[in-house]
Amino acid sequence: MTRSKHNIFRKLKDSDNYILLNPLSKQADILSPELAREYEKGNIADPTEFIEKGYLSDEGEENRRYRNAYLSFIEAREAEEVQVFFVPTYACNFACSYCYQESYDHANDSRNPELTDAFFRWLDTELAGRKKYITVFGGEPLLPSSASRNVLERILTKAADRKLSVAVVTNGYELENYIPLLSSASIREVQVTLDGVGVVHDRRRPLHGGGATFDRIVRGIDAALAAGIPINLRAVVDRENLPHLPELARFAIARGWTGNPLFKTQLGRNYELHTCQIDQKKLYSRISLYEELYALIKENPEFLEFHRPAYSVTKFLFEHGELPDPLFDSCPGTKTEWALDYTGKVYACTATVGKKGEELGTFYPEISRRDEAIEEWEDRDVTSIPECANCNLQLTCGGGCAAVAKNTKGKILSPDCRPTDKLLSMGIPLYFTIPGDK
Ligand code: SF4
Ligand code: SF4
């Protein structure tokens, strides 16, 4: 019996204790400093429990379990719903300070109804037999023009014909005016972004040409919740606005949003994607963002009422009382996600949509596929990225984001490392009471 190559072992932040976690056997334990020392030395006085829990295992047996878990993962993913993004325009009425689409050409924005019809033809043929839903994305899909409204109406009607639900990603400025139309459809959720309260938000997400947007977005969120439409509130975070997040949390709590089962939140890390950000120093790395959040939550524990950061598998463990299944792939692109835009092109996901050279095919004027490029995306997981083969974090990391990996290393089959051990060392003491710790 040897130590499993999937064990994640790390000292907990602000504690003398350690976490030992094995995502393959789905076990996690807190080790006292004494037991941790025994484990490190490979000299555990009573190894029975370590063997039962898969922390110590026979290599052949573990490889067999790994293969079975991989097959189950692939099978489960085949049955999963596919999220298909549709970008009817890259035009937007906001001028966000960090917008990566700013440089995208939207001069030829087309409102051709044939395009929407072609989008649905692609869904019917390319994703026949798969469970799926549509997310209308942009640019800004809820613009005040009748052209924008007509496109959305057509999408909602055609989705209803196929019994598909629709989500909308919007800046929220026109949301209130769109409530009657959205209320008539099967809306899965509306994702709206608020980066803070009042001027904190307004400075980052002003109207094109200037102008505050916060108050109007808040009215839109209130109206959506009152109409029974689920809201997914997103905050895009960097060093500029993170210190103000507790204020946003208190605002959402006081407004009654967090007590509404239709309300949920997500934090998006502002990061360099394709075009140069003006101020690189503003950006957090993945780990530094979680470190700052850790300090922020310690100071403002009510923040967890507004948002629970994942800290790798910690939040899942806290909410479900067990670990998730092993994560062989954390990138849904081309597997359970696609993104199609108004130019008639098909992309893997929202990170690549509209980016020159990332096209994987077309849906208008006719359907075509770049099979070789698609296969590369489809094949990418921790079993195909060479660097992941001997990494003990692989089943909590999943190989990271293919778009980031390609941007930084020049090829899809390369790693985008997630420091899941460090995340666990912070997440466990945030979500759980550790015996002996304050
Ligand atoms: S490439 Fe990155 S952004 Fe795109 S689906 Fe994969 S993980 Fe998500
Ligand atoms: S992407 Fe990096 S951290 Fe993740 S499994 Fe691969 S080598 Fe490990």
Side-chain angles (χ1 to χ4, degrees):
M1 290 284 168
T2 52
R3 273 184 280 188
S4 161
K5 70 177 203 183
H6 299 288
N7 284 353
I8 301 174
F9 172 72
R10 197 167 176 99
K11 188 165 178 293
L12 295 173
K13 191 169 168 66
D14 298 332
S15 170
D16 292 330
N17 296 300
Y18 290 71
I19 176 76
L20 177 61
L21 185 144
N22 188 308
L24 182 60
S25 61
K26 295 175 69 172
Q27 296 289 336
D29 278 278
I30 303 294
L31 304 191
S32 65
E34 298 74 36
L35 193 51
R37 259 193 305 279
E38 285 181 24
Y39 170 81
E40 267 181 307
K41 283 188 192 150
N43 184 21
I44 300 160
D46 179 6
T48 320
E49 206 183 330
F50 280 71
I51 294 168
E52 278 167 10
K53 292 187 170 177
Y55 301 134
L56 296 176
S57 67
D58 169 77
E59 199 183 334
E61 168 62 17
E62 180 159 285
N63 288 343
R64 193 188 57 77
R65 262 198 273 154
Y66 183 90
R67 278 195 301 276
N68 285 344
Y70 184 62
L71 293 177
S72 305
F73 174 84
I74 299 292
E75 202 179 314
R77 195 172 60 189
E78 284 299 307
E80 247 179 62
E81 235 180 350
V82 183
Q83 181 176 22
V84 188
F85 287 87
F86 183 47
V87 179
T89 176
Y90 288 112
C92 184
N93 47 353
F94 276 25
C96 300
S97 55
Y98 47 80
C99 183
Y100 69 91
Q101 290 181 344
E102 220 180 8
S103 59
Y104 288 18
D105 177 21
H106 39 74
N108 300 319
D109 178 3
S110 157
R111 300 306 174 122
N112 180 355
E114 269 181 42
L115 209 93
T116 306
D117 298 351
F119 168 73
F120 280 92
R121 256 196 316 278
W122 184 89
L123 279 186
D124 294 343
T125 51
E126 296 296 294
L127 295 181
R130 286 294 300 262
K131 282 191 276 173
K132 51 198 168 277
Y133 70 100
I134 299 160
T135 298
V136 189
F137 191 70
E140 171 51 44
L142 308 187
L143 287 170
S145 63
S146 55
S148 181
R149 192 171 285 271
N150 291 343
V151 171
L152 185 63
E153 241 167 32
R154 199 171 183 94
I155 294 170
L156 294 178
T157 307
K158 292 194 158 275
D161 292 345
R162 292 161 175 80
K163 299 192 170 37
L164 299 177
S165 66
V166 177
V168 178
V169 178
T170 172
N171 60 34
Y173 194 71
E174 292 293 331
L175 179 56
E176 199 176 2
N177 295 329
Y178 270 89
I179 295 296
L181 175 57
L182 295 174
S183 302
S184 67
S186 165
I187 298 296
R188 190 182 181 100
E189 70 172 33
V190 174
Q191 185 195 298
V192 189
T193 303
L194 280 181
D195 278 359
V197 177
V199 288
V200 175
H201 168 89
D202 289 337
R203 263 201 309 266
R204 295 164 61 84
R205 301 182 60 84
L207 278 176
H208 238 299
T213 59
F214 178 79
D215 292 336
R216 213 165 132 155
I217 298 170
V218 168
R219 285 207 305 278
I221 294 172
D222 283 339
L225 291 172
I229 298 170
I231 287 287
N232 183 355
L233 183 71
R234 175 177 166 89
V236 178
V237 181
D238 55 35
R239 291 183 198 278
E240 184 182 83
N241 67 333
L242 184 126
H244 301 283
L245 283 186
E247 200 186 328
L248 180 61
R250 286 192 287 273
F251 180 88
I253 293 166
R255 199 109 188 155
W257 291 347
T258 53
N260 189 327
L262 295 174
F263 181 81
K264 67 176 180 182
T265 53
Q266 58 167 285
L267 295 186
R269 181 168 59 96
N270 185 11
Y271 66 107
E272 175 78 50
L273 199 53
H274 308 310
T275 57
C276 287
Q277 299 261 353
I278 300 162
D279 186 1
Q280 295 280 322
K281 290 196 290 292
K282 273 195 340 197
L283 306 181
Y284 285 118
S285 66
R286 185 175 302 276
I287 195 67
S288 62
L289 171 62
Y290 275 92
E291 277 165 357
E292 294 285 328
L293 277 174
Y294 177 89
L296 182 145
I297 294 168
K298 284 274 177 190
E299 280 275 301
N300 307 273
E302 76 279 7
F303 183 80
L304 289 179
E305 208 180 307
F306 169 73
H307 180 74
R308 288 185 190 149
Y311 284 96
S312 180
V313 293
T314 319
K315 174 180 156 187
F316 189 99
L317 180 60
F318 175 71
E319 291 181 346
H320 297 85
E322 62 172 358
L323 286 171
D325 291 334
L327 182 65
F328 289 87
D329 180 21
S330 52
C331 173
T334 72
K335 295 118 172 182
T336 56
E337 183 173 331
W338 290 93
L340 285 68
D341 76 1
Y342 77 88
T343 66
K345 299 194 181 84
V346 176
Y347 300 85
C349 71
T350 54
T352 57
V353 71
K355 193 182 172 203
K356 217 169 164 11
E358 294 288 355
E359 306 83 2
L360 296 180
T362 58
F363 68 97
Y364 181 84
E366 60 209 18
I367 293 177
S368 67
R369 291 167 58 92
R370 284 184 58 211
D371 284 319
E372 225 172 274
I374 294 172
E375 261 169 43
E376 208 181 8
W377 275 85
E378 284 174 342
D379 286 349
R380 186 183 185 278
D381 62 27
V382 294
T383 68
S384 61
I385 302 168
E387 290 86 341
C388 302
N390 291 316
C391 174
N392 69 317
L393 305 182
Q394 58 171 270
L395 298 181
T396 48
C397 163
C401 169
V404 170
K406 191 174 173 199
N407 276 354
T408 52
K409 310 219 169 54
K411 54 179 187 184
I412 295 255
L413 285 184
S414 61
D416 164 38
C417 296
R418 307 266 155 114
T420 55
D421 52 347
K422 295 189 188 116
L423 295 173
L424 282 165
S425 79
M426 290 185 271
I428 297 290
L430 266 187
Y431 285 104
F432 298 93
T433 309
I434 314 294
D437 285 353
K438 279 186 237 116

